[in-house]
Structure formats: structure tokens, C-alpha cells
Amino acid sequence: MKVTFIGLGIMGSRMAANLLKHQVELTVWNRSAASMNALEKKGAIVAASAQEAVKDADLVFSMLSTPEVVEALFLGQEGVLSMMKKNALWVDCSTVNPSFSDLVSKAASRSGQVFVDAPVAGTKPQAENAELVFFIGAEKVVLARIRPYLDMMGKKVLHLGKTTKGAAFKMLVNILLAQSMLIFSEAVLLGEKLGLSKEFLLDTLPNLVVTAPFTKFKAEMIRTSDYEVQFPLEWMHKDLHLAAITAYEQEQPLYLANLAKELFAEAKMAGMGRLDFASIHQYLARR
């Protein structure tokens, strides 16, 4: 199939590069040119516009920052959805709320395309090493068509059900991720106040059965105070906001996740938005 990838940020650029490693005929487009130029050197075809990028594609992947960006690009007045071929597949790997995923799925259906929600678990290293986990909302027959390409970019595919179920599951994953990071940071900071060494805490706590496994990687960031971005704090705040919207729609309270959202909001206001979300530890340490 002719494949297009739209959105070449931290995640998308690396996902697209992995498709190129498998000799996929790949067209790319991004609002800024640097990432497109890097992929062109690896064999990608660079489109002059998003509309040009999708017009001949059988399969379009998108990895964009927010629902608003997805909507503006695909459904806006000059949205690219209307430029896509009939029966083309649109696989959106962006983290969006389930109700938004339902909205764009219906728009794609009216336009004659097939939509798949396919958010991922993993950050920069997993995207680089094709170790992402895909959460898929789609019919089984549709998943079968895109599965070879997902396997080029990831290590596991979870089929959660029909459209919106992938987006729904991603909401759960990210509220766990955000709160686990906060809990780990609070434990380390309290441990230091109690006279335990920071080195001991960062060596020991991540290896306990009660601790989220991903903290092993974030502990090294805390140890060195180097929060080079893998997953930006500002996007974690955005994802918590989407979870709050989803919970409101479902009439389900989210007491602790909403508290986490406000803490990440404060950290973003303090200038940490473009750092890795583990920098919430640095914010808490200053309070």
C-alpha cells in the first residue's frame, strides 16, 4: 500500500523512520520542515502540503498533539479528509478523548474512508526502537489490513474492540502514568526528609513490587536532574484534561486524577511544559 505519515514530532518522526527501515513507500508531511528533511534522506517522499500527502494514499497515519490539531487538519474548511481516496484507511495514533474519536470516525465514514483509533503506550525510546504498544479500536478485518505496519513500529498490538475503545484505554493508561509519577516523587522527597539518602531511594524504590516499573527510567532523570524530553509534561497535562472531560461525559468522578491534573498545570505554568513529565519531581521539590 501507499502509506502517508502526518505529524513528525518526537514520536511520529521515529515511527515513520521505522516504516522506512522496512522499505515502505512512504510520503510524509509536517508543519515544520526539519523532520521531513531528515526522513527524506532515509527515503521518504516529502509532500508540499498535507492535502498532497494524502491524495494517493491507501493508508494514512497521523500522530498529532491535540484533538484540536487533528480536527483542524482533517476536518477543517480545507481538511485533508475530503482529499483522501474512497475506502482509504486513516489510523490516528494521537492521544485524544473517546468522544472525539467517535466524532472523527463518523466524519470519516460520511466521507467514504475507514477510521481506526490507535494511540500508543511508550515514549521516545520505545518509538525509536519499534517497541510501542498499540491500543486499537477497529473491526478485526480492518486491523488485519494494518497489522503488518503496526508490527514495523511496535512490539505489541492490543485490540480493544470497535472504534473509540483504543482511545478509551489510553485514557486509563495515562491517568495511571501521571499519578504513579507523582506518588513516586512524593515518596522520594519524604524519604529524604526522613534522613534516607536520595541515592538509596532511587536505587531501591523502583525495584519494589509496589512501584510502577517505568519509574526505573525516571529515577535516572531525577538522579541527574536531567529532564530531556521523552514525553512532554505539557502533553501529560493535556491527557489528564481529556481524561477529566471523558469522566464528566460518563458521570464518573476522578478525584485523584483531577488533583494530578492541577499539579501538572502548575508545573507547566512554572515553565516546565517542554521538559519530560518526570520533571514534576523537580516542581514538587521546590514547593
Side-chain angles (χ1 to χ4, degrees):
M1 289 197 286
K2 290 184 178 179
V3 182
T4 288
F5 208 110
I6 291 179
L8 305 172
I10 292 172
M11 301 294 286
S13 60
R14 289 162 174 80
M15 294 166 72
N18 282 321
L19 291 174
L20 290 169
K21 289 177 184 177
H22 291 269
Q23 287 74 55
V24 171
E25 183 181 348
L26 186 67
T27 298
V28 297
W29 184 82
N30 194 60
R31 285 179 294 182
S32 56
S35 53
M36 288 195 291
N37 295 337
L39 289 169
E40 186 176 24
K41 293 175 183 177
K42 297 179 180 181
I45 301 164
V46 171
S49 66
Q51 290 79 4
E52 180 185 303
V54 304
K55 67 178 183 179
D56 295 320
D58 303 300
L59 170 59
V60 175
F61 284 99
S62 54
M63 177 58 101
L64 299 166
S65 56
T66 67
E68 291 79 11
V69 172
V70 176
E71 183 172 15
L73 185 60
F74 280 85
L75 308 184
Q77 202 164 24
E78 298 179 2
V80 301
L81 187 61
S82 62
M83 306 291 178
M84 289 172 61
K85 297 193 301 187
K86 299 299 180 185
N87 298 315
L89 296 165
W90 172 20
V91 180
D92 186 29
C93 300
S94 317
T95 298
V96 301
N97 46 313
S99 57
F100 178 79
S101 188
D102 184 53
L103 182 151
V104 294
S105 176
K106 289 174 178 174
S109 181
R110 289 192 299 269
S111 181
Q113 291 82 32
V114 178
F115 176 80
V116 177
D117 52 310
V120 300
T123 57
K124 181 178 174 181
Q126 291 74 36
E128 184 107 39
N129 298 318
E131 295 175 345
L132 296 170
V133 179
F134 286 88
F135 305 142
I136 302 297
E139 299 286 352
K140 288 182 179 180
V141 65
V142 175
L143 174 56
R145 292 177 64 192
I146 65 172
R147 181 67 187 257
Y149 301 94
L150 301 179
D151 289 340
M152 294 173 193
M153 299 182 286
K155 65 178 182 179
K156 190 173 183 178
V157 174
L158 291 180
H159 183 217
L160 281 307
K162 295 182 180 180
T163 306
T164 76
K165 299 307 181 192
F169 192 71
K170 183 62 186 291
M171 294 290 96
L172 309 184
V173 169
N174 276 21
I175 64 172
L176 283 170
L177 194 63
Q179 291 177 91
S180 296
M181 190 68 242
L182 281 167
I183 291 166
F184 180 75
S185 294
E186 284 192 339
V188 171
L189 292 168
L190 177 59
E192 288 186 82
K193 289 288 180 67
L194 294 171
L196 297 166
S197 79
K198 185 175 183 178
E199 290 297 312
F200 168 78
L201 293 166
L202 294 175
D203 287 341
T204 308
L205 289 177
N207 295 301
L208 300 179
V209 295
V210 298
T211 311
F214 81 91
T215 57
K216 291 180 182 180
F217 307 106
K218 300 307 182 185
E220 294 310 305
M221 289 186 165
I222 294 171
R223 193 190 308 274
T224 60
S225 296
D226 181 0
Y227 297 102
E228 180 184 351
V229 65
Q230 296 180 2
F231 179 37
L233 183 143
E234 65 179 334
W235 296 149
M236 180 60 83
H237 175 240
K238 179 266 295 186
D239 292 347
L240 288 165
H241 174 63
L242 295 179
I245 291 172
T246 302
Y248 176 80
E249 291 169 345
Q250 300 299 318
E251 298 185 351
Q252 173 62 43
L254 280 185
Y255 303 107
L256 299 181
N258 273 307
L259 175 58
K261 182 186 74 167
E262 298 309 315
L263 286 167
F264 277 91
E266 287 183 358
K268 185 174 74 171
M269 290 174 64
M272 296 180 177
R274 296 306 298 165
L275 299 176
D276 190 82
F277 80 98
S279 64
I280 194 69
H281 179 89
Q282 186 171 293
Y283 177 72
L284 292 175
R286 295 174 181 176
R287 287 173 65 88

